[in-house]
Amino acid sequence: MADITLRAAGQHDLELLWRFLAMAAYEPDAEAAKAVPFVGAHLVGWQRAGDFGFVAEDGASAVGAVWARQFAPAENPAFFIDWRTPEISIAVAAQVRGRGVGAMLLDAMIAEAARRGLDLTLNVRHDNPARRLYGRKGFQVIPGAEVPNRVGGTSLAMLLRTAH
């Protein structure tokens, strides 16, 4: 992974983040992701107070991204934990999956959350292979926090408590 670098995500990354959100939400492209309100909520208004994230790059090409958003209960997120536990979204380009990019992104996100005194949550489909990575990084499935997802499967809430 010597050729992969990470940098903080900023306002100028919005369109890039939409492309990665489409990947994370199993949508064909950014426009399709924007058209689904539940999906779009993860980026509409980026970079609002409390939004933070990272972009992984291989040279000049973005190959992955992770970002956090603190939802309010009134926004009807799939899972609301509390006001100190933002939900993260993460996606890695298909051509670099299995090369540690997701782990690098999660490590950066976990370190930043700990620095900010935050815990993290994520919403994952029950059959997503990345669920194993999340478990290795310390995320735990919240018992009883399963919901039907918009494509007919089940989504799970996973929670990571940072040392604060």
Side-chain angles (χ1 to χ4, degrees):
M1 297 308 322
D3 49 345
I4 304 291
T5 58
L6 296 184
R7 64 172 176 78
Q11 180 62 43
H12 62 281
D13 291 309
L14 182 57
E15 287 308 311
L16 172 75
L17 295 178
W18 277 111
R19 289 198 313 268
F20 283 107
L21 181 58
M23 286 180 214
Y26 301 89
E27 292 294 340
D29 55 39
E31 292 309 310
K34 290 175 184 180
V36 180
F38 178 80
V39 173
H42 291 84
L43 278 175
V44 168
W46 171 267
Q47 187 169 25
R48 66 189 193 188
D51 287 354
F52 63 97
F54 299 92
V55 174
E57 296 177 321
D58 185 357
S61 298
V63 294
V66 62
W67 62 95
R69 167 149 289 175
Q70 178 65 61
F71 288 105
E75 293 176 282
N76 295 315
F79 307 103
F80 177 83
I81 305 299
D82 60 36
W83 289 103
R84 304 284 307 150
T85 309
E87 181 177 334
I88 66 169
S89 300
I90 183 170
V92 173
Q95 71 269 20
V96 296
R97 288 185 191 144
R99 293 181 40 204
V101 175
M104 288 175 62
L105 287 164
L106 284 173
D107 288 343
M109 180 59 70
I110 291 166
E112 182 61 18
R115 187 187 74 74
R116 293 174 182 232
L118 301 172
D119 295 327
L120 296 171
T121 189
L122 58 81
N123 170 356
V124 62
R125 291 183 183 180
H126 75 280
D127 58 351
N128 184 333
R131 197 171 137 198
R132 290 187 301 278
L133 170 63
Y134 306 148
R136 286 194 307 272
K137 292 298 177 182
F139 285 86
Q140 297 180 347
V141 172
I142 300 171
E146 302 90 16
V147 297
N149 60 37
R150 62 192 177 84
V151 295
T154 301
S155 289
L156 310 170
M158 295 185 81
L159 176 64
L160 173 76
R161 298 277 186 207
T162 63
H164 62 268

